[in-house]
Amino acid sequence: MPRLTVERGNEKGVSLNFEEGGATAYVVGRSNNCDLMLTDYLVSRQHFKIEKSGDLFSITDMQSHNGTFVNGARIEAETMLAFSDTIRAGESLFCFRSESEKSEGSLAGQKIAGYHLLTRIGVGGMGEVYKATQMALGRQVALKILTPDLTADRSFVERFLAEARAAGRLNHPNVIGVHEVGEENSVYFLSMEFVGGGSVQDLISRGRKLGQLQATEIVLQSSRALEYAEKVGIVHCDIKPDNLMLTEAGEVRLADLGIAKSLNEKGKADQSEGVFGSPHYMAPEQARGLPLDSRADIYSLGVTFYRMLSGKVPFTGKDAKEIMEKQVFDDPPSLQKLEPGCAPMVYHCADRMMRKKPGERYQAATSLIRDLERAVDEIRGGVSQDSAGSIGTTKATSGLHRVTSSRRRPRRGGGSGSSIFGRMFR
């Protein structure tokens, strides 16, 4: 029987089976009366519907706030589904599989450019990722295979190759190692270090929390990756739990430099091509389309810290735009109230990382690392907020002015980047 499997998101691994002789329509969304219920805040209560007629299947967006995407393209009307199609709703990604298609992936068992593909370990907007063996060296790797829809775009391929080669020049213990990028018979691939412990997102899915020591050590290792990125002049632009991979020994590897930007001679990265990233983790200046530097990544890592400790993202909304507006204007719910009893330096670090104004955050990862090391010492020494009293930090003042109480939004369209959401999130 065909099935729809969640490949990325809080419900990763959950499947919706289309039983023979069963219902002819299946609804996916956040409502508890959906056939597949999600906890993704960017998914509408009733997001999309899959219908079957005989052996044919179609998908329709149910006027969702953020749209439904099939193989990377937003659908505007009823669209036919084919097996192996990918579907994205909010931050959740699905794969539509036939009864005979193995979860290992359609390419499992094949050999491409000297790699023996073993099993599929991930699906993304750019293609599939397989655990593979590099036969010449006998080593395990993660092999990303670009989807054919993207390889038909020559400009995209050239950009992909250039970015992969740039990533291949990075060398740090807390950054995923890139081995090789290439093409064989019009199949484009990227060979990377295989990390077998999953992602931080896997640890915290469905509202789970991490203990303060584990969370702080993950952020500390991630900060060392950011310190290295600063030195080589890169802003990652998409720091989030999905992109923090873990080895089986618990070591952090920063992954997915696909939208990373290089700093210019002024030490900034522009967003002239549009705002990209994940709304729940996006720094205010990134949401506004302003030039970025490493402090944007520090903000995103701060949100990740908040999420690991509290089990929640600080801001939710009916769509990406509302969440981005809250990133710019609103103060997050107090972490101390959500998760009391942590070490004082834990609250201090998280608070300073998430300041609205970049000038009030840590100005470099090096100073963040020093404070996180102090936080680890406090945790191991048994120091808590209750025993230490107030942490002596002051509340950040954003210096930003909210739009009028009627929540009037700026006009859509182009702009210099100085107006809020001058370039909409894509």
Side-chain angles (χ1 to χ4, degrees), residues 9-11 39-41 200-210 281 306-313 339:
N10 294 337
E11 283 65 44
T39 55
D40 182 340
Y41 287 107
V200 171
Q201 177 62 36
D202 294 333
L203 295 180
I204 62 174
S205 62
R206 306 188 195 187
R208 292 193 292 264
K209 306 176 186 179
L210 299 185
Y281 300 91
Y306 185 106
R307 169 85 183 274
M308 286 191 287
L309 291 168
S310 69
K312 302 176 181 179
V313 290
E339 197 61 28

Side-chain angles (χ1 to χ4, degrees), residues 9-11 29-31 37-47 64-67 89-92 201 204-208 279-281 306-307 310-324 326:
N10 294 337
E11 283 65 44
R30 286 194 297 113
S31 174
M37 181 182 171
L38 305 174
T39 55
D40 182 340
Y41 287 107
L42 287 180
V43 168
S44 297
R45 290 183 60 79
Q46 292 188 326
H47 200 101
S64 65
H65 290 297
N66 290 311
E91 293 184 337
S92 299
Q201 177 62 36
I204 62 174
S205 62
R206 306 188 195 187
R208 292 193 292 264
H280 286 121
Y281 300 91
Y306 185 106
R307 169 85 183 274
S310 69
K312 302 176 181 179
V313 290
F315 304 115
T316 61
K318 70 176 185 294
D319 55 25
K321 184 179 178 182
E322 182 176 330
I323 295 170
M324 291 162 68
K326 290 180 178 179

Side-chain angles (χ1 to χ4, degrees), residues 225-288:
L226 295 188
E227 182 183 43
Y228 174 73
E230 290 173 17
K231 290 178 180 178
V232 297
I234 288 177
V235 184
H236 187 283
C237 300
D238 199 21
I239 301 292
K240 60 182 179 180
D242 270 316
N243 287 334
L244 299 180
M245 306 300 295
L246 300 171
T247 68
E248 292 176 349
E251 299 168 347
V252 175
R253 299 286 192 272
L254 177 60
D256 201 353
L257 291 155
I259 64 171
K261 295 179 181 294
S262 298
L263 300 178
N264 58 27
E265 63 277 2
K266 296 181 180 179
K268 296 288 185 178
D270 70 56
Q271 299 190 84
S272 57
E273 295 181 355
V275 176
F276 297 90
S278 302
H280 286 121
Y281 300 91
M282 190 179 289
E285 64 271 26
Q286 188 173 356
R288 296 178 69 167

